[in-house]
Amino acid sequence: MVSTVDEATDKSPLIQAKNVVKSYGDIPVLHDFSLDVARGEVVVLIGPSGSGKTTFIRTLNGLETIDSGRITINGTVLADSGPLSSGKPHKPNSRSLQKVRLDVGMVFQQFNLFPHLTAAENVMEAPVWVRKIPHKDARKRALELLDRMGLADRADHYPHELSGGQQQRVAISRSLAMDPVAILFDEVTSALDPELVGEVLRAMRQLASDGMTMIVVTHEMQFARQVADRVVMMAGGRLIEAGTPEQIFASPSDPRTAKFLQSVVHPH
Amino acid sequence: MGEIASWLPSLLTGLGVTVELTVFSMAFGLVVGLVLATIRLEPRNKWLYIPATIYIEVIRGTPLILQLFFAYFALPAIGIRLDPFLAGILALGINYSAYLSEVFRSSIKAVPHGQWEAASSLGMPWVLVMWRVILPQAGRIALPATGNYFIALFKDSALASTISVTELLFSGQILAAATFNYFGIYAVVAVFYLAVSYPSSLGLRALERRLELSRRKARPKKVTA
Ligand SMILES: Nc1ncnc2c1ncn2[C@@H]1O[C@H](COP(=O)(O)OP(=O)(O)OP(=O)(O)O)[C@@H](O)[C@H]1O
Ligand SMILES: [Mg+2]
């Protein structure tokens, strides 16, 4: 039986993925993938398309199940199984799933704002309905968060009235409103017009310097260089290498990393 | 003119019954339709999915008038005796629930998957995601078709005359049998139906426009400090 809660000590990594294996049907996507993330750490995941970056971070808040391995987040065991025997994906129980989702925020490439709610209502929705925070307090907090994201004057606008960059900053505020211990970012600037990328990266840089634990999938190497505590290179569902931005960018030890960086810096 | 005036009391009463029949059947159809749609979102849940699918196919594959006869004339054979009005609501409600469930199901599926993911990643449990995020969007998608079904149901409720519900059409038939003024009476009955269905369809269209997301504008700033 899976125990729901581990003793969370401050020493243990906030996010711990051990020997994670996942396939879609016959296609293996994550091979024995392990990664620990410490409290306050910013980890940037890089790697070629199809290397499993999205799949991996989605397993961290239960949007994807895993076949085997162990995932622990802030003391909650989200998944734990020995080597695959039954052929069935490991399903987390709903209590630990709920706990992990409260702990870990996620920001998506396509923003996924709720289109029928204003920016402030988007931010307030989960605090009011999940955390049962009084409407007034939730709104006050939402306005503070939006203000921090430079969106004070956009609070009562609907998503369709906002630019992509503004929408993505609302999405970040929405995630922050639940006071997560970590936030996952999946190529959150990829759907943006180039001139809007900067404002979103600025907001993320701010979060990082406020001490938020972040796992960031991005092709923005400049951001990785400046903000990451650790850069992790993935290919073919495996961790190829990991290190400080200096190590990875200046002297990658694996030829695949060098080749990938080459392709990102000089596309085509 | 005096003749028409003498028909009005019983036709108005009949119209009242028609409206009641429509509203109750629609309410039934909406609730059951939503439950069916929800069940059919998850085909892997066979024990609910298969019965729901059979229900929908049986209802959609048989005539409404047969279902009315079933509810009123056949059910007593197994000891269920309903008065005509209740039998009418049951048959109409069940019939429309099958059609509405398909509208709801496709509307729910039309809401982008990212909405589910965003809401659940905020820790919202399934029921909350459905209620606060998916249904408000699916409802807007479903509104035009649902409105059409509502008006169709209003007219289909005339079939309840066949099981002796004294709704509008049946009230007209009773008058016609007594006065032989078929033309006059059925013309007035037609006007009564139109007097409800036409404004309803205008109202529904106005509601659709009002709810359209792209028309929503930021509310003017409140001037309170
Ligand atoms: N729902 C799915 N069903 C089947 N295969 C999938 C599914 N999602 C992803 N895959 C496959 O899993 C592999 C890893 O995909 P993933 O999206 O995690 O890669 P990625 O590193 O995020 O790529 P990108 O940089 O293009 O976003 C790919 O081969 C992809 O085709
Ligand atoms: Mg991806």
Side-chain angles (χ1 to χ4, degrees), chain B residues 57-144:
Chain B
E57 293 308 331
V58 167
I59 297 301
R60 294 201 304 176
T62 53
L64 171 55
I65 192 164
L66 175 66
Q67 294 157 18
L68 280 160
F69 286 0
F70 214 88
Y72 187 61
F73 299 116
L75 286 185
I78 55 165
I80 303 174
R81 244 165 261 284
L82 300 172
D83 74 48
F85 185 69
L86 271 183
I89 289 175
L90 187 69
L92 287 165
I94 285 178
N95 184 271
Y96 272 76
S97 71
Y99 291 95
L100 288 170
S101 78
E102 288 299 281
V103 171
F104 297 160
R105 187 170 71 113
S106 58
S107 305
I108 290 170
K109 287 195 135 174
V111 177
H113 198 61
Q115 294 287 308
W116 283 98
E117 296 188 339
S120 25
S121 76
L122 287 165
M124 294 171 81
W126 187 91
V127 176
L128 259 187
V129 178
M130 195 68 174
W131 186 247
R132 293 288 308 170
V133 176
I134 304 302
L135 288 182
Q137 298 178 59
R140 287 179 167 86
I141 300 169
L143 185 61

Side-chain angles (χ1 to χ4, degrees), chain B residues 4 17 25 28 37 80 94 105-106 110 151 173 197 210 216 221:
Chain B
I4 292 183
V17 174
S25 307
F28 185 108
I80 303 174
I94 285 178
R105 187 170 71 113
S106 58
I151 288 164
Q173 284 176 303
S197 63
R210 229 183 93 98
R216 291 210 140 175
K221 271 237 166 75

Side-chain angles (χ1 to χ4, degrees), chain A:
Chain A
M1 209 41 238
V2 175
S3 70
T4 318
V5 178
D6 259 6
E7 287 78 55
T9 61
D10 273 331
K11 294 267 173 50
S12 66
L14 184 65
I15 295 174
Q16 204 169 12
K18 243 190 154 84
N19 310 114
V20 172
V21 174
K22 166 148 189 99
S23 329
Y24 287 113
D26 294 338
I27 307 159
V29 180
L30 295 173
H31 298 269
D32 204 21
F33 189 87
S34 300
L35 181 70
D36 288 357
V37 179
R39 215 169 275 274
E41 196 181 11
V42 177
V43 172
V44 168
L45 269 183
I46 61 171
S49 179
S51 57
K53 308 180 297 290
T54 296
T55 305
F56 173 65
I57 66 169
R58 286 165 60 90
T59 64
L60 296 181
N61 73 348
L63 285 178
E64 301 286 353
T65 55
I66 64 173
D67 300 337
S68 72
R70 180 183 165 92
I71 295 175
T72 313
I73 288 168
N74 198 20
T76 308
V77 179
L78 180 62
D80 188 6
S81 72
L84 185 62
S85 51
S86 60
K88 264 176 121 175
H90 179 89
K91 254 205 136 104
N93 75 49
S94 62
R95 265 192 39 234
S96 37
L97 186 60
Q98 170 80 3
K99 165 84 166 61
V100 163
R101 284 175 173 173
L102 289 175
D103 277 347
V104 179
M106 177 130 189
V107 183
F108 302 84
Q109 184 175 349
Q110 297 297 337
F111 330 136
N112 295 345
L113 289 185
F114 307 137
H116 57 298
L117 301 177
T118 64
E121 287 166 349
N122 263 276
V123 179
M124 293 159 61
E125 186 68 9
V128 167
W129 287 86
V130 179
R131 293 231 195 267
K132 309 278 195 274
I133 291 172
H135 193 273
K136 243 181 101 181
D137 302 347
R139 175 156 172 101
K140 188 161 165 277
R141 178 85 203 292
L143 295 181
E144 282 165 16
L145 287 167
L146 289 170
D147 188 29
R148 227 169 99 194
M149 290 285 147
L151 293 166
D153 56 335
R154 288 288 173 273
D156 294 318
H157 284 67
Y158 285 91
H160 73 88
E161 300 176 289
L162 302 175
S163 74
Q166 291 170 336
Q167 289 190 53
Q168 197 56 293
R169 284 180 288 149
V170 174
I172 295 172
S173 313
R174 176 173 72 175
S175 179
L176 285 172
M178 291 301 276
D179 296 315
V181 297
I183 304 186
L184 313 170
F185 295 83
D186 189 10
E187 299 202 29
V188 298
T189 57
S190 300
L192 296 175
D193 291 338
E195 73 272 19
L196 302 178
V197 169
E199 60 190 64
V200 173
L201 292 180
R202 238 183 334 273
M204 290 166 67
R205 203 167 283 151
Q206 179 65 44
L207 272 188
S209 64
D210 292 345
M212 176 60 73
T213 309
M214 299 163 63
I215 301 184
V216 182
V217 175
T218 186
H219 292 296
E220 299 290 338
M221 293 304 146
Q222 188 68 13
F223 177 86
R225 221 183 280 272
Q226 293 172 352
V227 183
D229 295 310
R230 195 147 47 110
V231 175
V232 172
M233 168 73 191
M234 275 182 89
R238 294 172 208 274
L239 192 153
I240 298 300
E241 64 179 307
T244 63
E246 295 78 46
Q247 287 165 349
I248 300 291
F249 290 115
S251 49
S253 60
D254 193 288
R256 282 168 291 183
T257 311
K259 188 158 165 272
F260 172 71
L261 290 173
Q262 193 82 66
S263 74
V264 179
V265 180
H266 305 289
H268 313 297

